Amino acid sequence: MGGSTSSSGKGDQPEPDFTSKKTPKSVPISKQLSSIKALARGSALEKAVATALLVFYNSAGPDGKVSKGDARELLLTQFQTFMQGQESKPKYRETMADLMENQDKRIAMEDFMLFLLGLTVSSDLLTEIQGARMQ
């Protein structure tokens, strides 16, 4: 396991801890979604919310929470299209500033989803989606 010593003859170096929450999950989100029986006939909205929850929980620690710093990184990597070009908007700046404060503070899924929703509502992509619906 994580703290055991190696028997490869390379000294007493500990083996890497592959159970760290920083290690990417080996099961793709799409496969995780397909394994959730309740989503077999789920709507697009239900699957979208389930995807957001899986992304969060795949990054969460054993306490079911992520640090504010990890939440920020998660948003920057997994929500980059919605966030692109938003740097000058007050809601974006407010959210990012909040996530920069006390970066070690752990937040629950509910708080993460509020950050996610706030960034979605204020994004330019939302305007594009509304425009596409009118065409």
Side-chain angles (χ1 to χ4, degrees):
M1 282 288 166
S4 65
T5 57
S6 171
S7 61
S8 63
K10 295 181 183 177
D12 290 329
Q13 296 291 336
E15 292 179 13
D17 182 5
F18 293 113
T19 61
S20 167
K21 71 179 183 110
K22 297 290 185 188
T23 303
K25 300 294 180 187
S26 59
V27 179
I29 295 284
S30 59
K31 187 166 184 156
Q32 291 178 54
L33 280 173
S34 66
S35 72
I36 300 171
K37 292 179 183 171
L39 292 177
R41 287 183 259 156
S43 69
L45 181 58
E46 290 167 326
K47 290 176 183 175
V49 170
T51 299
L53 295 173
L54 282 170
V55 167
F56 175 84
Y57 282 118
N58 283 342
S59 297
D63 61 354
K65 297 179 179 183
V66 298
S67 70
K68 287 174 85 176
D70 286 345
R72 181 179 178 278
E73 287 302 312
L74 194 57
L75 288 168
L76 289 171
T77 59
Q78 294 292 316
F79 213 55
Q80 58 188 313
T81 302
F82 274 58
M83 293 174 60
Q84 188 174 9
Q86 303 304 306
E87 296 82 7
S88 65
K89 291 189 173 183
K91 182 63 178 175
Y92 176 91
R93 289 196 314 261
E94 177 186 326
T95 299
M96 291 296 114
D98 189 2
L99 291 170
M100 291 295 288
E101 291 177 13
N102 302 321
Q103 289 188 46
D104 291 335
K105 180 180 177 190
R106 301 192 59 76
I107 62 170
M109 176 271 303
E110 293 87 349
D111 295 321
F112 178 78
M113 294 300 281
L114 290 173
F115 287 126
L116 185 69
L117 183 60
L119 291 169
T120 301
V121 170
S122 67
S123 76
D124 291 336
L125 190 55
L126 183 60
T127 305
E128 289 181 42
I129 290 169
Q130 291 169 334
R133 200 178 106 228
M134 300 297 196
Q135 295 176 359

